[in-house]
Amino acid sequence: MTRSPFDLGAFLAQPLTARIATSGPTVRPVWYLWEEGAFWILTGPWAKLFQRVRSDPAVALVVDKCDLGTGLVQQVIVRGRAVLVPFDVPRGRRKLVRYLGEDESRWDRRFVRYLHEDPGQRGAAWLKLTPSSLIAKDLSYHTSL
């Protein structure tokens, strides 16, 4: 069990942007869903991330928050081996609702397509990262404001 200096579940439930690093090295921002002890990231054959993970599944991921006004600085650093698994619409909807809200009619069409097009035809997949290492740090400080 990983110890955390803050509520890890509540932190990872926020619609924050993570950065995922693959071999190369390359780093890219991603939206994620934290469920069942894993990070779920939407990808597919159109994305370099998909190809890089197929070639080398070792990845690192960082989710952080830094508020200079309040001094809140929290981070989660993860390492592990990613696997590509079939896309499922219910999980896709939960992920997109986190970032875009409940009202699908307000979403950009490219996001709606993931939920209504055949994932097998499009090639949509999940990159599932179950951490082999997870470090949570609270580096918050007091401001004099």
Side-chain angles (χ1 to χ4, degrees), residues 64-131:
D64 63 347
K65 189 174 194 176
C66 178
D67 185 330
L68 300 177
T70 66
L72 177 69
V73 180
Q74 296 174 324
Q75 57 187 221
V76 173
I77 304 163
V78 175
R79 293 191 190 291
R81 297 182 69 75
V83 294
L84 297 168
V85 298
F87 180 79
D88 64 286
V89 172
R91 189 182 314 274
R93 179 152 181 56
R94 289 191 301 276
K95 178 192 170 233
L96 291 172
V97 163
R98 280 170 44 91
Y99 292 94
L100 303 171
E102 287 283 340
D103 186 356
E104 218 177 281
S105 70
R106 299 186 60 162
W107 296 3
D108 184 291
R109 294 298 309 156
R110 63 190 157 150
F111 299 116
V112 175
R113 285 193 315 241
Y114 289 114
L115 301 182
H116 299 288
E117 290 181 355
D118 179 3
Q121 212 172 30
R122 184 170 171 82
W126 287 114
L127 179 156
K128 180 182 178 187
L129 172 57
T130 303

